[in-house]
Amino acid sequence: MKLTIIGTGYVGLVTGTCFAEVGHQVICVDNNEEKIKTLKAGHMPIYEPGLEELVKKNVAAGRLSFTSSTKEGVEKSDVIFIAVPTPPQPDGSVDLSFMEGVSREIAQAMTSYKIVVDKSTVPVNTGKKVAETIKRYCKAKVDVDVISNPEFLREGFAVDDFMKPDRVVIGVASQRPVAAMKEVYAPYNAPIIVTDINSAELIKHAANSFLALKISYINAVSVICEASGANVMEVANGMGMDRRIGRQFLDASLGFGGSCFPKDLSAFINISEQLGYNFGLLKEVQRINAEQMDRFVKKILETMWVLKNKKLGVLGLAFKQNTDDVRMSPAIDLCLRLQKEGAILRVHDPKAMEKAKAVLQNVTYVEDMNAVAEGCDALIVATEWPVFKKLDVERARKAMTHPIMFDGRNMFDVDEMEKIGFIYKSIGR
Ligand code: UGA
């Protein structure tokens, strides 16, 4: 099928590439000319495992192309996907100006029937507004079907998640576009749920908020584990073996971050309030998440007493493993708080150091993770990069003035670290 994706961020670029990979003819549009130039030159604006190879392969096969012209994208395709940012506003509501702007651009470029699909995460009732806007601004008086098709991919696993989705959700106002959408997704062999637009939009906010709730729940349990001498990893394993609960998203941590959970929680609370419901449960999820970081900083302060002029090594800057994304990263938040206390930081991340430089200055960026500990009073693990498990802890211990480790992601074994000679403090154990 002929598909256009408007917006080449983490979701748009992965979506377009993975559609091309299964044989569709795809045009990716972005109004950022620099980004389009970068992509045309065969370079990636983001790091996502496996993406670069797939982009190159599909461009070479003639199935994937890039343009900054929305008009071209709309004219040449039957189905137009919108994957533009929907950033948070200070009051927690969502800024939908990109959605509105793109809706108008699509309308102005339309000369025949199109299916317009919203892939961006949006508050319930947005699809209706997009449909109204397109109908209002379309001069050609042609028909349009607006669909909600939320995306569930995780950064760091995006290609895999897209190629093997648990489910595909399609929210429609009529049956007319359903066959075409089923054809778009047929190659992925995933269950397809066809529902109304508002339910589809709510599925996304409800799912992300539930996952965030799961993390806050285990983080709250981790506090009880610490107070009672239990081990949160044992508790999570035991809980997770109940298939009704599941083990995923039960990793206690210094809190969740990223461009999705914090924003989507605020947005869901905000839209619920507008609809007359005080979603107190989700406010508590936010509170526990913030408190988890406070507790981690307190743990560091209690052990180190004063941080002024102490040298701390920090492993991890990205908001999670396998990504270079530092938006709303708990690791960056932690670094800034430690700097405020006067600490001198040596930091490392396998992929996120370039992006971190824009938000974290006056630190030493260290290329080799095994060199971070040199001369440090303590070492901190802030992101769950699997490679950190391979840290040469013996070398780190010898290189440090004091072998103390604060592990915000429970990457190491408590007994082993203590045997090596570390004062080792983690989460909920
Ligand atoms: C999340 C959802 O998982 C995706 O399904 C969704 O499509 C995406 O948001 C989105 O709305 O676009 P993402 O933000 O990429 O994906 O990353 P996650 O893997 O969900 O991790 C989010 C945060 O939770 C990270 O900071 C991570 O470190 C933290 N986390 C995750 C924990 O602290 N504990 C866990 O057990 C799992």
Side-chain angles (χ1 to χ4, degrees), residues 293-308 310 312 334 337-338 340-343 380 406 425:
M293 176 62 84
D294 292 344
R295 192 173 292 110
F296 193 67
V297 172
K298 199 167 150 214
K299 200 179 276 181
I300 297 172
L301 282 169
E302 270 168 10
T303 309
M304 310 291 294
W305 192 15
V306 170
L307 286 183
K308 196 163 191 289
K310 293 232 168 87
L312 304 180
L334 178 65
R337 291 173 73 152
L338 298 173
K340 231 178 179 174
E341 295 289 336
I380 297 164
F406 300 95
K425 307 211 171 197

Coordinates of all heavy atoms in Angstrom, one line a residue, residues 293-308 310 312 334 337-338 340-343 380 406 425:
M293 N 12.9 9.1 43.8 CA 14.2 9.8 43.5 C 14.7 10.5 44.8 O 15.9 10.5 45.1 CB 14.0 10.8 42.4 CG 15.1 11.7 42.0 SD 16.6 10.8 41.5 CE 16.3 10.5 39.8
D294 N 13.8 11.2 45.5 CA 14.2 11.9 46.7 C 14.8 10.9 47.7 O 15.8 11.2 48.3 CB 12.9 12.5 47.4 CG 12.3 13.6 46.7 OD1 12.9 14.1 45.8 OD2 11.1 13.9 47.0
R295 N 14.2 9.7 47.8 CA 14.8 8.7 48.7 C 16.2 8.3 48.3 O 17.0 8.1 49.1 CB 13.8 7.5 48.8 CG 14.1 6.6 49.9 CD 13.1 5.5 50.1 NE 11.8 6.0 50.5 CZ 10.7 6.0 49.8 NH1 10.7 5.6 48.6 NH2 9.6 6.5 50.2
F296 N 16.4 8.1 47.0 CA 17.7 7.7 46.5 C 18.8 8.8 46.8 O 19.9 8.5 47.3 CB 17.6 7.4 45.0 CG 18.8 6.7 44.4 CD1 19.1 5.4 44.8 CD2 19.7 7.3 43.6 CE1 20.2 4.7 44.3 CE2 20.8 6.6 43.0 CZ 21.0 5.3 43.4
V297 N 18.4 10.0 46.6 CA 19.3 11.1 46.9 C 19.6 11.2 48.4 O 20.8 11.3 48.8 CB 18.8 12.5 46.4 CG1 19.6 13.7 46.8 CG2 18.6 12.5 44.9
K298 N 18.6 10.9 49.2 CA 18.8 10.9 50.6 C 19.7 9.8 51.1 O 20.6 10.0 51.9 CB 17.4 10.7 51.3 CG 17.3 11.2 52.7 CD 15.9 11.3 53.2 CE 15.8 11.0 54.7 NZ 14.6 10.3 55.1
K299 N 19.6 8.7 50.4 CA 20.4 7.5 50.7 C 21.9 7.9 50.5 O 22.8 7.5 51.2 CB 20.0 6.3 49.8 CG 20.4 5.0 50.3 CD 19.9 3.9 49.3 CE 18.5 3.5 49.6 NZ 18.0 2.4 48.7
I300 N 22.1 8.5 49.3 CA 23.5 9.0 49.0 C 24.0 9.9 50.1 O 25.1 9.8 50.6 CB 23.5 9.6 47.6 CG1 23.2 8.5 46.5 CG2 24.9 10.1 47.3 CD1 23.0 9.1 45.1
L301 N 23.1 10.9 50.4 CA 23.6 11.9 51.4 C 23.8 11.3 52.8 O 24.8 11.7 53.5 CB 22.5 13.0 51.5 CG 22.5 14.1 50.3 CD1 21.3 14.9 50.4 CD2 23.8 14.9 50.4
E302 N 23.0 10.4 53.2 CA 23.1 9.8 54.5 C 24.5 9.1 54.6 O 25.1 9.1 55.6 CB 22.0 8.8 54.8 CG 20.8 9.5 55.5 CD 19.5 8.7 55.5 OE1 19.6 7.5 55.2 OE2 18.5 9.2 55.8
T303 N 24.8 8.4 53.5 CA 26.1 7.6 53.5 C 27.3 8.6 53.4 O 28.3 8.4 54.1 CB 26.1 6.6 52.4 OG1 24.9 5.9 52.4 CG2 27.3 5.7 52.5
M304 N 27.2 9.5 52.5 CA 28.4 10.4 52.1 C 28.5 11.6 53.0 O 29.4 12.3 53.0 CB 28.3 10.8 50.7 CG 28.0 9.7 49.6 SD 29.4 8.6 49.5 CE 30.7 9.6 48.8
W305 N 27.4 11.9 53.8 CA 27.2 13.1 54.6 C 27.2 14.4 53.8 O 26.2 14.9 53.5 CB 28.3 13.1 55.7 CG 28.0 14.1 56.8 CD1 26.8 14.7 57.0 CD2 28.9 14.6 57.8 NE1 26.9 15.6 58.1 CE2 28.1 15.5 58.6 CE3 30.2 14.3 58.2 CZ2 28.7 16.2 59.7 CZ3 30.7 15.0 59.2 CH2 30.0 15.9 60.0
V306 N 28.4 14.8 53.4 CA 28.5 16.1 52.6 C 29.0 15.7 51.2 O 30.0 15.0 51.1 CB 29.4 17.1 53.3 CG1 29.7 18.3 52.4 CG2 28.8 17.5 54.6
L307 N 28.4 16.3 50.2 CA 28.8 16.0 48.8 C 29.7 17.0 48.2 O 30.4 16.8 47.2 CB 27.6 15.8 47.9 CG 26.8 14.5 48.1 CD1 25.7 14.4 47.1 CD2 27.7 13.2 48.0
K308 N 29.8 18.2 48.9 CA 30.6 19.2 48.3 C 32.1 18.8 48.0 O 32.7 18.2 48.9 CB 30.6 20.4 49.3 CG 31.1 21.7 48.7 CD 30.7 22.9 49.5 CE 30.9 24.2 48.9 NZ 32.2 24.7 48.6
K310 N 33.1 16.2 46.6 CA 33.3 14.8 46.5 C 33.2 14.4 45.0 O 32.4 14.9 44.3 CB 32.3 14.0 47.3 CG 32.4 14.3 48.8 CD 32.5 13.0 49.6 CE 32.9 13.2 51.0 NZ 31.8 13.5 51.9
L312 N 32.0 11.9 42.2 CA 31.1 10.8 42.1 C 31.1 10.3 40.6 O 31.1 11.1 39.7 CB 29.7 11.2 42.4 CG 29.5 11.8 43.9 CD1 28.0 12.1 44.1 CD2 29.9 10.7 44.9
L334 N 19.1 13.1 38.5 CA 19.9 12.8 39.6 C 21.3 13.6 39.5 O 21.7 14.1 40.5 CB 20.2 11.3 39.6 CG 21.1 10.7 40.7 CD1 20.6 10.9 42.1 CD2 21.5 9.3 40.4
R337 N 20.9 17.1 40.6 CA 20.7 17.2 42.0 C 22.0 17.0 42.8 O 22.3 17.7 43.8 CB 19.6 16.2 42.5 CG 18.3 16.6 42.0 CD 17.2 15.6 42.3 NE 16.9 15.6 43.7 CZ 15.7 15.2 44.2 NH1 14.7 14.9 43.4 NH2 15.5 15.2 45.5
L338 N 22.8 16.1 42.3 CA 24.1 15.9 42.9 C 25.0 17.1 42.7 O 25.8 17.5 43.6 CB 24.8 14.6 42.4 CG 24.0 13.3 42.6 CD1 24.6 12.1 41.9 CD2 23.9 13.0 44.1
K340 N 24.1 20.1 42.4 CA 23.5 21.2 43.3 C 24.1 21.0 44.7 O 24.3 22.0 45.4 CB 22.0 21.1 43.4 CG 21.3 22.4 43.1 CD 19.8 22.1 43.2 CE 19.1 23.4 42.9 NZ 17.7 23.2 42.8
E341 N 24.4 19.8 45.1 CA 25.0 19.5 46.4 C 26.5 19.8 46.4 O 27.2 19.5 47.4 CB 24.7 18.1 46.8 CG 23.3 17.7 47.1 CD 22.7 18.4 48.3 OE1 23.5 18.7 49.3 OE2 21.5 18.6 48.4
G342 N 27.0 20.1 45.2 CA 28.5 20.4 45.1 C 29.3 19.3 44.7 O 30.6 19.4 44.7
A343 N 28.7 18.2 44.3 CA 29.5 17.0 43.8 C 30.2 17.3 42.5 O 29.7 18.0 41.7 CB 28.7 15.8 43.8
I380 N 27.7 5.4 41.0 CA 26.3 5.4 41.0 C 25.8 4.8 39.7 O 26.3 5.1 38.7 CB 25.7 6.8 41.2 CG1 26.1 7.4 42.5 CG2 24.2 6.8 41.0 CD1 25.9 8.9 42.6
F406 N 26.1 3.1 44.8 CA 24.7 3.3 44.9 C 24.1 2.8 43.6 O 24.3 3.4 42.6 CB 24.3 4.7 45.2 CG 24.9 5.3 46.4 CD1 26.1 6.0 46.4 CD2 24.3 5.0 47.7 CE1 26.7 6.4 47.6 CE2 24.9 5.5 48.8 CZ 26.1 6.2 48.8
K425 N 24.7 -0.2 48.1 CA 23.4 0.2 48.5 C 22.5 0.2 47.2 O 22.9 0.9 46.3 CB 23.3 1.5 49.2 CG 24.3 1.5 50.3 CD 23.8 2.4 51.4 CE 24.7 2.2 52.7 NZ 24.1 2.7 53.9

